[in-house]
Each structure stands twice: as structure tokens, then as C-alpha cells.
Amino acid sequence: MTTVVPTSEEDPSLAIVRFTSQLAWADAGPEAAEPQVTRLCREAEESIVAGRWLDLATLMVTSADLVSSKISEKDLECTYTIICSLVKNVSSPEEVLEMVKTITSKVVQQPNDKASLRLKILFNLYNLLDHPSARFQVYMKALELAVSGKVTEHIVPSFKKIDSFLKEWNIDIKDQRELFLAIANVLRENKSLAKESLQFATRYLATFSNEDTQVLSEAKEEAVRAVIEFVKAPSIFQCDLLDMPAVAQLEKDPNSAPVYQLLEIFLTQRLDAYMEFQNANSGFLQTYGLVEEDCVAKMRLLSLVDLASDVSGKIPYVSIKKTLQVNDEEVELWVVKAITARLIDCKMDQMNQVVTVSRCSEGESGQKQWQCLGTKLAAWRDDIANVINTIQANKATEESTHASSSQPQVLTVR
């Protein structure tokens, strides 16, 4: 296998053109190959002399793409390292973007051929760039390649830096939507990352605020998908989807209204409402790939959390049995499941058949939850005030008693 070894006698870019063109025309025979190689090298030399770096990059990536499957990973990496370095010769932002587009379109064109290396090439190009918009374009191509080349594990770690990337790129809402949706799709490739996938899908939907109906409709399909993903996920019990305009629009769509109704039930109602919905919408679960047993199990946990949010913080076993529609023997089992899922902190009083709750999670942060929190705070404030008053009253009594006992005894003579 021929290896690219640029020397001081020839420009590295010209060496790449010569190497790739010779390999591309090798099967045609010397008589046909030599004129073509000479022509391509001459075009490369003319571009170098005239400073037409975009033309040179186009020529080089075209030749490299033709032979990528025929050369080793080392040679392909060396080839693209020299091609990518051409961006340093360009000063115009427009030309930088055009060159980036030219290079990245060829890199992602064959995702099944050396996908990991191609992703590395894109990262190297990213690090060579100073232009924020160009960096963003490269990153988007990397996301595309990660999915099509099935190498998502190499790009997922970078998602932790997305917020700092957003500050650097300074992209508009439209680009943010494209980014969040692309990341959500990357994460969907790994079932263990369902929570992270839903987070980015939620960020995508959150970008639709005061939009007109036509713009909102663009998010309808993703809104349905996000709701179903939330319902399916056995370990996700909280989301902020319900009040988002992109999701709320589903309520007015006859085809999507049941999806919104289901989300509303999971976040604000209890098991009985879900069972009623299920009976009224036969075939709905199957349409969206939902499993009845899984939905019921999740609704039982959410219903238990709703019971636990009561101001008193005490739940009789009989209330749990009725709300969760379970047998007496299953009450404590479901309480343990809720504790394991970190939905509640509590103590079970088997003697008095009562669960005392010290903390519970909420499915959403809506008006109902804020009102409940306000009620609890008011109750706690009153309790603390009563304790203070009691302490002060006891203190005053003690002081009065002490004063009386410390006065000298006076003998009265009659």
C-alpha cells in the first residue's frame, strides 16, 4: 500500500493530488492515467499559485473521495489533514463556510467506510476553525455522520458542553432547533439514554413559544414523539411538556388530542382516569407501541406520588389500596417501589396502617404544584408560629415562677 510522505521538494497539497489521482486512475493503464494525473496536478499548481484555495480544496476532496475505500486509515487521515489545513489560508468568512461545506459534504458521503476516522477528521477540522458559524456547520455534519455511520458513542460525550458551545456559536433559534433535534435523534440510538434524549427533545419544543399556527405545526410530530417517549420511559416521572405551546397544540388536533390527553393524565391525574382513558380509546396503545402493563405500573407510582403530596403528609393504607387498585398485600410493595424510584421518602407504620411522607416528587412544575407548595409553606409557617408562641409562654411562666420563689419570706405579727 502506497503511503503519503510529503517532502520539501513538493507542496503537500500537490503531493496529495498526485497520490490520489494516480491511485484513482491506476486501473486505466499508464497511457490513459498519465495525462489525467498531469492535468490534475497542473490544475492544483495553478490554484496554489493564484491562491484559489476553494478550487484546490474541491479538487482534493473529489480525488480523495474516489480512493478512500482503497487506502489505509493512516493514509486517509493524512490526506484529509492536509486538505483541512487549507482553511487556514482563507480569510473571508463566506469562503471559509463554502470550503467547510465542500469538505464536510465529502467526508460524510460514505458513512459506512471508516466512520470513526471520518468523525475524527471532522473534529480535527472543527479545531482548526476560528469562525463560530463554520464550527457549528462542522458539528452538525458530525451529528449526521454519527447516526448514519453508527458511531454515536464517539460524539455523545460532547453533549455535556452544548451550553458552552451555544454561547460560542451564538446561533439563532432556527439553528438551535436543528441542533437540539439532531442531538435528540443521536441519543435515541441508545435506549439507555432515554432521559437525555427527552431532555433535548424538550429543549427543541421549548424553542416554539409565541409562534403562529404554521410554524407550530412543524413541531407537531416531534411533540407527539416526546409525549410517547415520556409515557414509555419506566424511570422518567417528571417533564415540562404539558404547558408548552408546541405540545398544547395537540389538544386541538383530532388526530393528536388523545396523545395530549394521555400526557395530561400522567402528569395531573390518577390511575382511575387512565383506566377510563384506556377503555375509551381501544387500539391507542398498540398504535404508539405502548404496553398496557407498563403504563399501569407507571400510573400507580405517579398516583402514589399524588397521594403523597397531600398537606398532611399521611396516607392511610386503605387510600393507597383504593387509588392504586391493588390488594392489601401489595400496598407496601408499591410504597417500596416508589421509594426505590426516589419518588418519595416516607415511613410505613404497619401497626396503624399509615404511610408518613417526608418528601415527594412532582410530575410537573405547574400552577397546581405551586399552589400546593404555598399551602404547605403556610401550614409550616403556622406550625412554627405556634411552637414559638408555646416556647415564649412557657418561658414567661418559668420566669414568673422563679421570681415568686426567690422573694424573701416575711413573718407577719398579728
Side-chain angles (χ1 to χ4, degrees), residues 218-256:
E218 297 175 7
K220 187 175 293 184
E221 182 179 345
E222 187 61 27
V224 171
R225 190 174 185 179
V227 171
I228 298 302
E229 285 178 353
F230 167 71
V231 173
K232 277 185 178 180
S235 60
I236 303 177
F237 300 94
Q238 295 175 307
C239 75
D240 299 319
L241 295 172
L242 192 60
D243 295 326
M244 290 183 177
V247 178
Q249 67 173 322
L250 301 179
E251 187 178 16
K252 301 176 182 178
D253 184 340
N255 296 323
S256 305

Side-chain angles (χ1 to χ4, degrees), residues 296-315:
V296 171
K298 186 168 182 173
M299 272 307 303
R300 280 179 173 149
L301 290 172
L302 290 170
S303 299
L304 183 54
V305 170
D306 193 49
L307 278 174
S309 65
D310 184 82
V311 176
S312 68
K314 294 184 181 296
I315 320 173

Side-chain angles (χ1 to χ4, degrees), residues 143-161:
L143 291 173
E144 176 188 333
L145 177 62
V147 174
S148 57
K150 301 186 184 304
V151 287
T152 55
E153 68 275 10
H154 295 303
I155 200 168
V156 167
S158 69
F159 296 164
K160 296 178 181 179
K161 301 179 181 179

Side-chain angles (χ1 to χ4, degrees), residues 156-414:
V156 167
S158 69
F159 296 164
K160 296 178 181 179
K161 301 179 181 179
I162 284 299
D163 288 330
S164 63
F165 288 163
L166 287 172
K167 291 179 182 178
E168 176 192 341
W169 298 334
N170 193 29
I171 54 179
D172 59 23
I173 288 294
K174 185 177 179 180
D175 285 337
Q176 287 182 38
R177 287 173 184 165
E178 185 182 358
L179 173 67
F180 294 146
L181 188 55
I183 292 176
N185 288 331
V186 168
L187 291 167
R188 282 168 178 148
E189 295 293 310
N190 189 332
K191 291 183 179 180
S192 66
L193 299 175
K195 183 177 181 180
E196 291 78 3
S197 170
L198 184 60
Q199 286 174 347
F200 278 100
T202 301
R203 293 184 71 170
Y204 163 77
L205 295 170
T207 63
F208 296 87
S209 52
N210 299 318
E211 311 286 353
D212 59 36
T213 305
Q214 184 176 355
V215 176
L216 273 178
S217 64
E218 297 175 7
K220 187 175 293 184
E221 182 179 345
E222 187 61 27
V224 171
R225 190 174 185 179
V227 171
I228 298 302
E229 285 178 353
F230 167 71
V231 173
K232 277 185 178 180
S235 60
I236 303 177
F237 300 94
Q238 295 175 307
C239 75
D240 299 319
L241 295 172
L242 192 60
D243 295 326
M244 290 183 177
V247 178
Q249 67 173 322
L250 301 179
E251 187 178 16
K252 301 176 182 178
D253 184 340
N255 296 323
S256 305
V259 176
Y260 183 83
Q261 185 183 354
L262 182 64
L263 176 66
E264 197 170 29
I265 290 171
F266 267 73
L267 292 177
T268 65
Q269 300 180 49
R270 296 180 179 177
L271 180 61
D272 56 345
Y274 170 75
M275 299 306 295
E276 184 179 339
F277 168 86
Q278 182 177 293
N279 294 332
N281 295 273
S282 59
F284 177 87
L285 299 185
Q286 186 176 1
T287 300
Y288 290 97
L290 296 169
V291 179
E292 179 182 348
E293 293 78 6
D294 296 341
C295 291
V296 171
K298 186 168 182 173
M299 272 307 303
R300 280 179 173 149
L301 290 172
L302 290 170
S303 299
L304 183 54
V305 170
D306 193 49
L307 278 174
S309 65
D310 184 82
V311 176
S312 68
K314 294 184 181 296
I315 320 173
Y317 276 32
V318 66
S319 295
I320 297 176
K321 175 186 174 182
K322 180 180 179 182
T323 302
L324 274 58
Q325 301 179 21
V326 296
N327 299 324
D328 292 330
E329 298 78 15
E330 297 179 279
V331 169
E332 292 185 354
L333 172 64
W334 282 99
V335 173
V336 171
K337 286 184 177 181
I339 295 172
T340 304
R342 298 183 179 180
L343 294 173
I344 62 173
D345 289 335
C346 65
K347 293 181 179 180
M348 290 182 283
D349 185 344
Q350 295 178 320
M351 183 69 69
N352 296 308
Q353 298 282 286
V354 172
V355 174
T356 303
V357 180
S358 56
R359 181 198 65 84
C360 72
S361 301
E362 296 287 355
E364 61 160 353
S365 299
Q367 186 64 30
K368 175 185 174 182
Q369 285 68 37
W370 286 112
Q371 289 175 348
C372 182
L373 179 60
T375 302
K376 287 183 178 180
L377 289 174
W380 290 338
R381 181 189 59 196
D382 293 342
D383 289 343
I384 292 172
N386 291 334
V387 170
I388 292 174
N389 290 336
T390 301
I391 292 173
Q392 289 177 340
N394 290 338
K395 184 178 180 181
T397 302
E398 290 178 2
E399 289 177 349
S400 176
T401 303
H402 180 72
S404 299
S405 61
S406 62
Q407 290 180 358
Q409 295 290 330
V410 179
L411 180 62
T412 303
V413 178
R414 295 178 180 267

